[in-house]
Amino acid sequence: MSDETLRQDGAGETDGLDRLWTPHRMAYIRGENKPADTSSGACPFCRVPGLDDQEGLVVRRGELAYAVLNLYPYAPGHLMVCPYRHLADYTETTSAEAEEIAALTKQAMTTLRAVSAPDGFNLGMNQGMVAGAGISAHLHQHVVPRWAGDQNFMPIIGRTKTLPELLTQTRALLAAAWVEVS
Ligand SMILES: [Zn+2]
């Protein structure tokens, strides 16, 4: 493909699973963003806020936490909400951090409902490798929109885009439509 040289940066967790949502494979086959160790220096969730929004797929920046598109989405619009601080466990968050993670999660749901009308969501944090966290050193809450049958969606964007374009456009769409709720 002509855009084979594009490289999508960002944060997320590879899991070795194949997705039915095939555009995603473009980035999947390219990306190995798994950190080498658990230090902040190797952590994509620490690195991404230093990139510009488009490059890092950052959708929304709060004071203490931010929302970012998952580079390896389970569904179109799969976001993660993370504190800026490199901390592993939910109990390590300050009240202010936990509040902002909650607020951004609500805003992400509201925004996704406005943009792509999902029928439901999976929300959650995997705590520890054993619980399925791919990047266990930096807390992140998944916000995964779900549709009945989980058919491919976001027709607004078009179905034949390669993933790098799709993720970039998804990011721009969600950032522009972001709904401020507390
Ligand atoms: Zn980190």
Side-chain angles (χ1 to χ4, degrees), residues 43 45-46 86 138:
C43 176
F45 292 110
C46 287
H86 185 76
H138 195 132

Side-chain angles (χ1 to χ4, degrees), residues 57-126:
L57 299 172
V58 175
V59 175
R60 188 72 174 185
R61 293 173 194 259
E63 244 177 82
L64 304 169
Y66 69 101
V68 61
L69 278 187
N70 195 319
L71 189 56
Y72 310 100
Y74 285 105
H78 178 177
L79 288 162
M80 298 169 296
V81 177
C82 343
Y84 292 116
R85 281 204 304 143
H86 185 76
L87 49 90
D89 199 276
Y90 186 56
T91 61
E92 296 172 56
T93 56
T94 64
S95 297
E97 280 169 336
E99 269 172 39
E100 193 164 27
I101 290 167
L104 286 170
T105 300
K106 289 189 205 177
Q107 292 172 19
M109 289 177 68
T110 305
T111 303
L112 284 162
R113 281 198 173 115
V115 166
S116 56
D119 300 314
F121 289 92
N122 291 113
L123 301 179
M125 303 179 190
N126 299 324

Side-chain angles (χ1 to χ4, degrees), residues 7 20 34 73 128 147:
R7 194 192 173 290
L20 288 174
K34 197 116 173 169
W147 291 268

Side-chain angles (χ1 to χ4, degrees), residues 12 16 19 21 25 32 57 104-106 120-121 137 158 160-161 181:
R19 306 291 201 284
W21 186 51
R25 291 171 60 91
E32 259 305 339
L57 299 172
L104 286 170
T105 300
K106 289 189 205 177
F121 289 92
T160 57
K161 302 285 187 187
V181 290

Side-chain angles (χ1 to χ4, degrees), residues 154-168:
M154 285 206 176
I156 252 175
I157 292 167
R159 286 165 213 135
T160 57
K161 302 285 187 187
T162 60
L163 186 69
E165 290 165 318
L166 193 63
L167 284 174
T168 301

